[in-house]
C-alpha cells in the first residue's frame, strides 16, 4: 500500500492530458516507419502500442517525445500542437516523461539525485523534497542514498519511473519498460507500475511487442503493422474481434481450416455457421479458432477426431487432435487436466461466436 506521503504526492502530478496523433507519417530513406497513423489517447488512459519488431511503435513514441520529427501530420497534447507543420516544441517543453527499457540511470549519482535530475532548475530543497516523495510513491524511499548498482533491475526501473513522474508530466511515454527484466520480476514490476500510474491518474503510452503484456496493462491497445495502425480498441475487442487473420494470429496460436460460403453459411470441418454479411456464396474463407476456445467431449457434438498427443502445461493440457480431411492436427487447450489421453476418440465443438472467419488466403499456423 502507498504511504500517506506517497498519496499526498499526487497533486504534484499535472492534470492528465489527451494526446492525439493526427495522420502522422515518418520515412527513413524510402522506408515508411510510421505511415498515416491517427490515435487519440484519452486523458488518464493507458494505451499500449503493440506490434512485431520494426512495425514503428518506437518511432511513433519518439515522435510524441520530440526525439524524432514527423514528415507530415501532427501531435497535439490537450489541444496544443507540440509537433506540426508550423511548430515543433523541443522535448523538454512538451510536458512528457520518458521511461526506457534500460532505465538509463546515472551510475555515479545516488538514487535520490537520479530522481532529482528530473527537476533541474528548481530550488534544491524543494527538488529534494519532491524527489523523496516520488521515491516513496514507488516504495523506494529507503534507497535514497544508495547507488543504482545496489538495486535490482526491477527497483532500478521503479527509480526510472519516479524520475519520469516527478516533474509532473502531462503524458508518460514508456518504451518496452519491462523487457529487460526476467519473467517473474517483470510481472511484479508491471503490476506495481500499473498501480503507480493508476494512483497518478496519468495518461500513458506504453510500447510493447508482447500481446499478453498489452492486455495486462492497456486500457486500449493500438495494434501496428508495417508502420500502420491496424486496429485500436479494448483488449477484449482485439482478442475477440480481430480485424484480420494476422491480427488474430498475433494474440495466440490459431487453428486455421479452409471454409466455403454455401447458402449463407460458412461450411468447414468445424461445422456450419452463419456467414458474415460481407461474404457471398462461393467465397473461399479461412475459419480460425483459438486453442482454448475449442471444447472437447466424449459425446457426439461437433467434429469427430482422435487424440494424437497430450502435454501437461500446468494450468491446461495441450492436446493435438487429428481430424479427417486435415493434413495437420488441431491444437486444443483444455482445462480438464488428464481427462483425455492419446488414442481417445472425441468431438471438438467451438461456439460459433468464437470462430473467426476471414475472406481469402490460405489457412496457416497450426493446421494447413
Ligand atoms: P522494435 O520493437 O524492434 O524496436 P518498433 O516497432 O519499435 O520495433 P521502430 O524502432 O519504430 O520499430 O522502427 C520502425 C522501422 O523504422 C524499422 O524498419 C527500423 O529499422 C526503421 N528505423 C527506425 N529508426 C530509424 C533510423 N533512425 N534510421 C533508419 N531507420 C530507422
Amino acid at each position: 500500500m502507498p504511504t500517506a506521503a506517497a498519496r499526498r504526492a499526487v497533486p504534484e502530478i499535472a492534470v492528465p492530458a489527451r494526446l492525439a496523433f493526427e495522420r502522422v507519417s515518418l520515412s527513413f530513406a524510402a522506408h515508411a516507419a510510421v505511415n498515416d497513423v491517427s490515435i487519440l489517447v484519452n486523458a488518464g488512459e493507458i494505451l499500449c502500442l503493440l506490434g512485431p519488431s520494426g512495425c514503428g511503435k518506437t518511432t511513433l513514441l519518439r515522435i510524441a517525445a520530440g526525439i524524432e520529427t514527423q514528415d507530415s501530420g501532427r501531435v497535439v497534447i490537450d489541444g496544443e500542437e507540440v509537433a506540426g507543420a508550423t511548430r515543433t516544441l523541443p522535448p523538454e517543453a512538451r510536458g512528457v516523461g520518458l521511461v526506457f527499457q534500460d532505465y538509463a540511470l546515472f551510475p555515479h549519482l545516488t538514487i535520490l539525485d537520479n530522481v532529482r535530475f528530473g527537476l533541474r532548475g528548481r530550488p534544491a530543497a524543494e527538488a529534494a523534497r519532491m524527489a523523496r516523495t516520488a521515491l516513496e510513491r514507488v516504495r523506494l524511499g529507503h534507497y535514497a542514498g544508495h547507488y543504482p548498482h545496489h538495486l535490482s533491475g526491477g527497483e532500478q526501473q521503479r527509480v526510472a519511473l519516479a524520475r519520469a513522474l516527478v516533474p509532473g508530466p502531462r503524458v508518460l511515454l514508456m518504451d518496452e519498460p519491462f523487457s529487460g527484466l526476467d519473467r517473474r520480476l517483470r510481472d511484479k514490476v508491471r503490476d506495481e507500475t500499473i498501480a503507480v500510474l493508476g494512483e497518478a491518474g496519468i495518461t500513458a503510452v506504453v510500447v510493447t511487442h508482447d500481446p499478453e503484456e498489452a492486455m495486462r496493462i492497456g486500457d486500449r491497445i493500438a495494434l501496428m503493422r508495417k508502420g500502420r495502425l491496424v486496429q485500436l480498441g479494448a483488449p477484449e475487442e482485439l482478442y475477440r474481434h480481430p480485424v484480420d487473420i494476422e491480427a488474430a494470429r498475433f494474440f495466440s496460436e490459431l487453428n486455421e481450416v479452409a471454409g466455403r460460403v454455401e447458402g449463407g453459411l460458412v461450411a468447414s470441418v468445424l461445422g456450419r455457421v452463419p456467414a458474415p454479411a460481407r461474404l457471398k456464396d462461393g467465397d473461399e474463407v479461412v475459419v480460425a479458432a483459438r486453442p482454448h476456445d475449442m471444447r472437447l467431449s466424449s459425446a457426439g457434438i461437433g467434429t469427430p477426431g482422435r487424440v494424437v498427443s497430450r502435454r501437461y502445461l500446468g494450468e491446461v493440457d495441450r492436446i493435438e487432435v487429428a481430424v479427417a480431411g486435415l493434413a495437420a492436427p488441431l491444437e486444443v487447450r483444455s482445462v480438464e487436466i488428464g481427462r483425455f489421453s492419446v488414442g481417445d476418440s472425441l468431438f471438438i465443438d467451438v461456439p460459433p461466436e468464437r470462430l473467426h472467419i476471414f475472406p481469402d488466403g490460405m489457412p496457416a499456423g497450426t493446421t494447413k
Side-chain angles (χ1 to χ4, degrees):
M1 284 298 291
T3 63
R7 279 193 293 271
R8 278 197 304 278
V10 172
E12 281 162 7
I13 297 292
V15 176
R18 279 155 54 110
L19 166 67
F21 297 94
E22 296 178 3
R23 307 207 60 179
V24 171
S25 296
L26 176 59
S27 294
F28 295 107
H31 175 70
V34 173
N35 195 345
D36 199 14
V37 170
S38 296
I39 300 172
L40 176 61
V41 189
N42 296 311
E45 178 177 50
I46 302 178
L47 181 104
C48 280
L49 290 178
L50 173 68
S53 183
C55 73
K57 314 177 289 289
T58 295
T59 302
L60 193 62
L61 200 79
R62 288 164 65 89
I63 290 170
I67 302 167
E68 299 280 1
T69 303
Q70 74 285 0
D71 295 330
S72 59
R74 55 185 210 137
V75 180
V76 180
I77 297 181
D78 256 355
E80 180 192 17
E81 183 175 282
V82 297
T86 52
R87 74 170 189 161
T88 302
L89 290 184
E92 61 278 10
R94 294 188 180 195
V96 299
L98 284 166
V99 177
F100 300 101
Q101 176 183 343
D102 59 1
Y103 334 132
L105 300 182
F106 298 110
H108 59 289
L109 294 183
T110 64
I111 296 304
L112 186 72
D113 285 344
N114 263 283
V115 177
R116 218 160 59 159
F117 191 81
L119 295 169
R120 282 154 300 162
R122 298 232 186 195
E126 183 191 345
R129 182 187 59 76
M130 288 172 70
R132 278 193 182 280
T133 308
L135 272 179
E136 289 289 336
R137 190 189 298 137
V138 296
R139 289 176 280 283
L140 289 175
H142 51 292
Y143 277 132
H146 289 62
Y147 287 84
H149 68 271
H150 294 141
L151 276 61
S152 71
E155 289 164 343
Q156 290 189 43
Q157 190 55 298
R158 277 151 60 197
V159 175
L161 179 64
R163 183 180 58 187
L165 288 175
V166 72
R170 297 190 288 178
V171 174
L172 186 67
L173 305 172
M174 307 180 86
D175 192 0
E176 301 268 7
F178 313 113
S179 57
L181 306 172
D182 71 51
R183 196 190 158 121
R184 273 188 49 210
L185 193 57
R186 191 162 61 217
D187 289 350
K188 187 162 168 279
V189 177
R190 193 162 48 197
D191 289 349
E192 286 168 352
T193 302
I194 296 168
V196 171
L197 296 182
E199 277 166 32
I202 194 168
T203 310
V205 179
V206 184
V207 164
T208 178
H209 60 270
D210 177 353
E212 191 186 325
E213 178 164 286
M215 288 198 282
R216 276 175 177 245
I217 299 175
D219 295 314
R220 288 189 304 155
I221 297 171
L223 180 64
M224 294 182 65
R225 188 190 308 143
K226 294 180 182 163
R228 289 190 174 274
L229 176 67
V230 174
Q231 190 169 6
L232 175 64
E236 194 169 346
E237 173 72 15
L238 271 76
Y239 195 84
R240 292 273 170 241
H241 306 289
V243 285
D244 59 26
I245 194 138
E246 278 190 62
R249 285 176 192 150
F250 197 72
F251 280 85
S252 76
E253 296 290 320
L254 209 58
N255 292 292
E256 300 175 26
V257 301
R260 191 179 162 82
V261 184
E262 294 163 359
L265 297 175
V266 171
S268 74
V269 294
L270 294 175
R272 298 168 83 83
V273 293
R278 65 184 188 282
L279 298 176
K280 58 183 190 317
D281 276 10
D283 281 353
E284 305 285 345
V285 298
V286 177
V287 179
R290 302 199 188 279
H292 50 262
D293 283 336
M294 310 183 83
R295 295 193 211 124
L296 300 180
S297 67
S298 313
I301 307 165
T303 308
R306 191 173 46 80
V307 176
V308 291
S309 81
R310 173 199 162 232
R311 183 160 282 276
Y312 172 66
L313 295 184
E315 291 179 12
V316 291
D317 272 352
R318 177 184 185 275
I319 298 172
E320 288 186 309
V321 180
V323 169
L326 294 181
L330 297 175
E331 182 187 326
V332 181
R333 304 238 163 179
S334 170
V335 291
E336 296 179 284
I337 307 290
R339 178 172 170 199
F340 297 100
S341 307
V342 172
D344 285 357
S345 291
L346 44 61
F347 295 85
I348 300 176
D349 177 44
V350 189
E353 72 277 9
R354 297 291 167 92
L355 286 174
H356 306 285
I357 298 165
F358 302 105
D360 285 340
M362 286 294 293
T366 50
T367 62
K368 282 198 173 74

